[in-house]
Amino acid sequence: MSRTTFRRTLMATAVLFGLVSTGFVSIAFVKAPHSFPSHRAVMAESYAANRPATARSDRVALLIANSNYPDADIPLPEVAAGADLLANVLHSHGFVVDVVRDATRAGITEAVDRLKAEARPGSVVLVYFGGFGVQSRGQNYVIPVDAKIWEERDVRRDGVSVEETLSELSSSGARKRIAIVDASRRNPYERRFREYSHGLAPIGEDGNSIVITSTSPEQVAEDAGTNRFVNGLAAKISPSSLPVEEILAARAAPSPGYPREQEHSGAPGASNVNS
């Protein structure tokens, strides 16, 4: 073989090897993304875990149970236990129940949007807020677990307004809206800008809503570790054959020894349960 022929053969071999190598690299780039889990699939799995089995119903409930706040000294196991109890009781009374635990602000917003989408015109819609709540400028805010609160204005930025949520639910055409607010506790956020916890402000409502809070306005619950408020409500609802909205509208008396609870209704002559 001449020197010229040898050189040509060597160059052809190098070119062929380069093409084959490039092909392998291309194949590797195409297949590499499939070796990682899909973000969309993970999100869908998480969403399905919280989504009720039935998409639409004439009796729907959303239970927000925030028990683990990074800024709190200890968890709130009574909130999680209360939500579980309430979920079982409501389910037994025909409610489709969505329980969202340790919700971020985005998580609460998404859950409320789901609730509005699942409610039918003429339905009964119930929302339970459990965790820490703070009032600011006469409105009450449920605190998400990802809130960063150092000043009062941060409450309005990071919190979720109970009043605004009820107003949003009115657009669903629900026949009756019920809010159970179990959030009047001493909390690590309020003490950063106030001398003491002020409790919750009175919550306004219209003729189609019922609002029940764990304490009277401006008061703070002192039952850490237990949830006598929710236990008392469940004890009234569970054995009754009446619709839940009628039971709550009738202002069932609180359990013996429990601090009085606030219950409002838009019906004429409505008053506090102990007034």
Side-chain angles (χ1 to χ4, degrees):
M1 179 182 296
S2 67
R3 181 175 299 179
T4 302
T5 302
F6 177 75
R7 287 179 178 175
R8 289 176 179 175
T9 301
L10 184 61
M11 290 175 64
T13 302
V15 170
L16 179 61
F17 180 77
L19 291 174
V20 172
S21 300
T22 303
F24 283 136
V25 172
S26 299
I27 292 172
F29 278 129
V30 170
K31 290 190 174 182
H34 295 281
S35 65
F36 296 96
S38 167
H39 178 66
R40 184 184 298 274
V42 172
M43 292 299 292
E45 182 179 355
S46 176
Y47 176 81
N50 283 329
R51 186 174 177 83
T54 304
R56 293 177 67 85
S57 172
D58 60 355
R59 308 180 76 76
V60 292
L62 168 63
L63 310 186
I64 304 292
N66 286 355
S67 302
N68 296 289
Y69 287 89
D71 290 352
D73 296 331
I74 58 175
L76 302 172
E78 65 273 18
V79 171
D84 288 340
L85 175 61
L86 193 58
N88 289 331
V89 170
L90 292 174
H91 181 71
S92 70
H93 277 70
F95 277 80
V96 173
V97 182
D98 187 4
V99 179
V100 180
R101 305 178 190 280
D102 297 330
T104 62
R105 192 180 195 284
I108 294 176
T109 300
E110 291 170 2
V112 171
D113 287 342
R114 290 202 303 269
L115 183 66
K116 290 189 294 184
E118 291 155 4
R120 296 175 178 174
S123 62
V124 176
V125 179
L126 184 148
V127 184
Y128 165 81
F129 291 109
F132 291 136
V134 178
Q135 64 164 291
S136 177
R137 295 183 178 177
Q139 290 224 351
N140 299 289
Y141 295 84
V142 175
I143 307 302
V145 295
D146 62 342
K148 304 298 182 185
I149 297 175
W150 294 96
E151 301 176 287
E152 183 173 352
R153 63 183 179 182
D154 297 336
V155 173
R156 299 187 295 275
R157 180 197 65 198
D158 287 359
V160 176
S161 170
V162 175
E163 289 83 356
E164 289 181 9
T165 300
L166 286 175
S167 178
E168 290 177 13
L169 290 175
S170 65
S171 64
S172 67
R175 171 174 58 85
K176 184 67 69 175
R177 288 165 288 137
I178 304 170
I180 300 176
V181 186
D182 179 23
S184 186
R185 295 178 170 84
R186 301 190 192 283
N187 60 81
Y189 306 102
E190 203 167 2
R191 65 191 180 203
R192 292 171 177 171
F193 56 87
R194 290 176 180 159
E195 293 182 0
Y196 61 93
S197 294
H198 287 193
L200 299 180
I203 301 174
E205 67 289 302
D206 56 33
N208 293 326
S209 64
I210 300 171
V211 179
I212 303 174
T213 64
S214 55
T215 66
S216 298
E218 316 295 337
Q219 300 297 314
V220 178
E222 302 286 358
D223 61 345
T226 61
N227 202 326
R228 288 177 287 172
F229 167 60
V230 173
N231 291 347
L233 290 178
K236 293 294 181 180
I237 296 171
S238 185
S240 177
S241 59
L242 294 173
V244 170
E245 62 272 24
E246 291 187 19
I247 299 170
L248 297 180
R251 295 167 182 77
S255 301
Y258 181 74
R260 67 179 183 174
E261 66 192 34
Q262 172 195 351
E263 180 174 342
H264 291 294
S265 171
S271 60
N272 189 279
V273 290
N274 288 304
S275 60

